[in-house]
Amino acid sequence: MSKFISGPGAGHKGVRSGVADEAGAKDGGSDAWIAIGELARRSGVPASALRFYEERGLIAGGRSASGRRQYPRHVLRRVGFIRAAQAVGLALDEIAAALASLPEGRTPTKADWQRLSAGWAPLLDARIAALTRLRDQLGACIGCGCLSLKSCRLYNALDRASLRGSGPRYLLGDKPVSG
């Protein structure tokens, strides 16, 4: 038997230290532990990124007596959620806040994940709208920073879009200034 000791993410929701048997089942329960290499292979996330997620508190695990980093099997779901959230453009701080809403002391259920994801609907709708504007306006000037000064004179004479703030004002939803 090997004794698990607290890791950087000790105290993270749903993670506790304990004793694991040879098969990795902890305290005789069904919450098996897997090595960082296995988690990396199964999740498709490099071990370096998993260590970064652990440093940021997104996932937590423990270390065996020999110092090997290991994670409860349910961390696979968390990593999958992190990857999906990043794929739609969410920042790690947004992901961490969402993960913090999951229940303590048990593996999140499908209902827990659905509740968490439903809270992101307005944010995702706003991102979809921004991407749609970008797609629809790629052929025209999108405000400050246009690649063609000749075109900017037509769409943004005297750089009037800059009066509304920095960045691609038209892409952000501002209507072109006329006149």
Side-chain angles (χ1 to χ4, degrees), residues 8 20 52 57 64-65 74 76 81 105 122 138 146 149 164-165 168 171:
F52 177 75
S64 67
H74 69 81
L76 272 166
F81 180 78
L138 279 176
C146 183
L149 292 177
R164 296 180 180 182
L171 175 62

Side-chain angles (χ1 to χ4, degrees), residues 60-85:
R63 291 186 181 269
S64 67
S66 63
R68 293 186 182 165
R69 186 176 268 130
Q70 298 188 357
Y71 300 90
R73 188 169 305 282
H74 69 81
V75 168
L76 272 166
R77 288 187 196 102
R78 293 177 74 92
V79 174
F81 180 78
I82 293 166
R83 289 189 72 192

Side-chain angles (χ1 to χ4, degrees), residues 1-4 17-21 25-28:
M1 291 209 176
S2 56
K3 177 80 173 167
F4 282 91
S17 62
V19 177
D21 63 19
K26 192 160 117 162
D27 295 328

Side-chain angles (χ1 to χ4, degrees), residues 4-179:
F4 282 91
I5 57 177
S6 299
H12 193 275
K13 294 181 178 189
V15 178
R16 55 189 188 275
S17 62
V19 177
D21 63 19
E22 296 301 320
K26 192 160 117 162
D27 295 328
S30 62
D31 194 16
W33 288 68
I34 58 176
I36 189 170
E38 177 72 1
L39 180 60
R41 184 186 68 74
R42 293 195 51 201
S43 67
V45 175
S48 59
L50 295 171
R51 288 188 291 273
F52 177 75
Y53 293 164
E54 189 172 352
E55 289 171 10
R56 295 285 307 262
L58 297 171
I59 62 174
R63 291 186 181 269
S64 67
S66 63
R68 293 186 182 165
R69 186 176 268 130
Q70 298 188 357
Y71 300 90
R73 188 169 305 282
H74 69 81
V75 168
L76 272 166
R77 288 187 196 102
R78 293 177 74 92
V79 174
F81 180 78
I82 293 166
R83 289 189 72 192
Q86 287 179 310
V88 298
L90 297 174
L92 286 179
D93 289 339
E94 294 169 311
I95 297 168
L99 289 173
S101 74
L102 292 173
E104 281 190 62
R106 67 172 171 81
T107 300
T109 64
K110 182 178 180 180
D112 294 326
W113 289 112
Q114 287 175 333
R115 185 187 74 256
L116 183 153
S117 298
W120 281 353
L123 176 63
L124 294 175
D125 288 342
R127 289 185 190 232
I128 290 168
L131 288 170
T132 300
R133 281 193 306 273
L134 173 61
R135 181 201 62 212
D136 293 347
Q137 295 178 7
L138 279 176
C141 181
I142 57 172
C144 301
C146 183
L147 296 176
S148 169
L149 292 177
K150 182 177 180 183
S151 181
C152 279
R153 284 189 209 126
L154 295 174
Y155 293 108
N156 187 21
L158 303 174
D159 195 20
R160 285 179 284 202
S162 69
L163 299 175
R164 296 180 180 182
S166 61
R169 301 312 314 163
Y170 302 151
L171 175 62
L172 295 172
D174 291 353
K175 298 294 179 206
V177 179
S178 60

